[in-house]
Amino acid sequence: MRTQVAIVGGGPAGLLLSHLLHLQGIDSVVLERRSREELEAEIRAGVLEQGTADLLNEIGVGERMMEEGARHRGINLQFGGRRHRIDFHALVGRGIMLYGQHEVVKDLIAARLAAGGKIIFEAEGVGVRDLKSEGPRVLFRKDGEEEELSCDFVAGCDGFHGVCRPCIPESACATYERRYPFGWFGILVKAPRSSEELIYCLNERGFALISTRSPEIQRMYFQCDPEDDVANWPDERIWEEMHARLANDEGWDLIEGEIIQKGIVQMRSFVIEPMQYGRLFLAGDAAHIVPPTGAKGMNLAVGDVRVLSRGLAEYYSSGRTDLLDAYTRTCLGRVWKAQRFSWWMTSMLHRFHQEDEFRYRLQLAELDYVTSSRAASASLAENYTGLPVE
C-alpha cells in the first residue's frame, strides 16, 4: 500500500487531519485499532471552542452539530453558596458549543467515507519504521495478514498510550509532566438539564461540575481520590455528595435521574518537546495532555492538525518545508498557554488539602476577583472560548 500521509489513530485528530488533507488534494490513510462501532460508541466530553465549531462548519461537517449541539454564551462559577455568570459574548464576542467528541467522530467518519477516504479499522500490531528517511513505513496486521503502508509522512494521532510517541528517542526529546493529587468521579445521567450552562463549583468538600450531553443526557463530575474505587459509590451516596457540593442560597436544586455510567478520570498535565521527529509529527493527546478543567483537550488536537495540514499543503504545492519545520514551535506556543489556563482553572477550583484553610481562602478570593473584575472575567472568557491557532 502507498499513500502520501499515513495517519495512526482514528480519533478526532486523525480523522480531521485526513479530511483537511483531502480538501487540499492530499492522499492519506487512517489506521485505527478499534472497530467503527467501538469508536463511535465511546462517549467522550465535547466542549468546542468557537474556532473549532467554525472550522467544522467551514469544511462541511458541522450540520448535525448545529442541529443537535448546545450553544452556550457563558459559564457559571459557584462558591460560597453563590453563583456568578461569566458572559462570554458580552466580554469577548464568542461562545462555545457542547457537542460530544464521539459525535464529532461520527460526523468525520461519515464525511471521509462519503468522499472515498481510506480508514482501516481494527488495524492490529501497528509499528512505525524509517522515520528519518524520505520513505517511512507503517506495519500492521489486518484480518490476520501482515500489511505494509509506505508514505511520505506519518502523523501520530494515536493518543497518550499510542505507539508513535515512543518512536522518538529519549535523547531527542524532553517531557514535562504534572500529576494532580485528585481525580474526577464522572457520571452520565438520564435526566433533563439542571442548568442551561455549565456550573463550575468550589465547595469546602471539593470541586463539582454540571455539564450536558443532550436534553436527555447530562454529564456531572465531582472531585475524588484518584485511587478510589467506583464500587465505593452507590447511586444514593453520589447524589448525596452532589447535592452537598452544589447547594446554594438561590433555591436552585439538582435534578436527579438514572445513572447509566460511572468512572474516575485521572488528572495530569503532559507535554513532549519537540512534537516532531524526522518524518513523524505528533498531534493531540499523543503530544500533550491537559486536565479537563479548562476544556482544552480536543481543541488543542484540532489546532495541531490545522497547523500540520497547512504545512503539508505547502510542502506538496511548493516543496518548501518552512511550515513543517516550524510545526513544534507553532503548536507549542498555544499548547503551553492552554496548559497555563487549565492549571489555573484546576488550582482555583479544587481542594488540594482539606486541612489547608489558608489556600482555600485564597481560592475564594481569586474567584471573587474573577467574578467581580471585568478584566479578569474577560481573560477567562478569552482563554475558555479559544486563543488563536497561530
Side-chain angles (χ1 to χ4, degrees), residues 15 20 36 39 54 59 65 69 97 116-117 119 143 147 163 176 188 233-234 247 253 256 333 343:
L15 293 167
L20 290 172
R36 179 178 180 178
L39 197 61
D54 290 346
I59 63 174
M65 173 190 70
M97 176 74 75
I119 307 174
D143 299 327
E147 303 280 357
V163 301
Y176 305 90
L188 271 180
W233 288 90
D253 201 11
E256 297 185 14
W343 167 84

Side-chain angles (χ1 to χ4, degrees), residues 107-155:
D107 297 339
L108 287 169
I109 289 175
R112 292 306 304 122
L113 296 179
K118 184 74 170 178
I119 307 174
I120 301 177
F121 296 104
E122 300 179 89
E124 301 177 330
V126 174
V128 183
R129 305 287 186 270
D130 304 329
L131 293 171
K132 298 288 281 186
S133 74
E134 295 185 358
R137 298 176 297 131
V138 181
L139 310 179
F140 64 98
R141 292 190 306 277
K142 176 63 178 174
D143 299 327
E145 297 292 328
E146 300 290 337
E147 303 280 357
E148 178 176 310
L149 176 63
S150 60
C151 56
D152 301 323
F153 299 96
V154 177

Side-chain angles (χ1 to χ4, degrees), residues 56-57 60-69 99 107:
L56 295 177
N57 282 324
V61 296
E63 181 178 355
R64 197 164 66 92
M65 173 190 70
M66 298 303 293
E67 293 177 355
E68 301 178 13
Y99 188 62
D107 297 339

Side-chain angles (χ1 to χ4, degrees), residues 22 70 80 84 116 171 202 306 314 326 350 371:
H22 160 72
H84 308 261
S171 59
L202 172 65
R306 289 183 77 165
E314 180 191 57
H350 292 75
T371 55

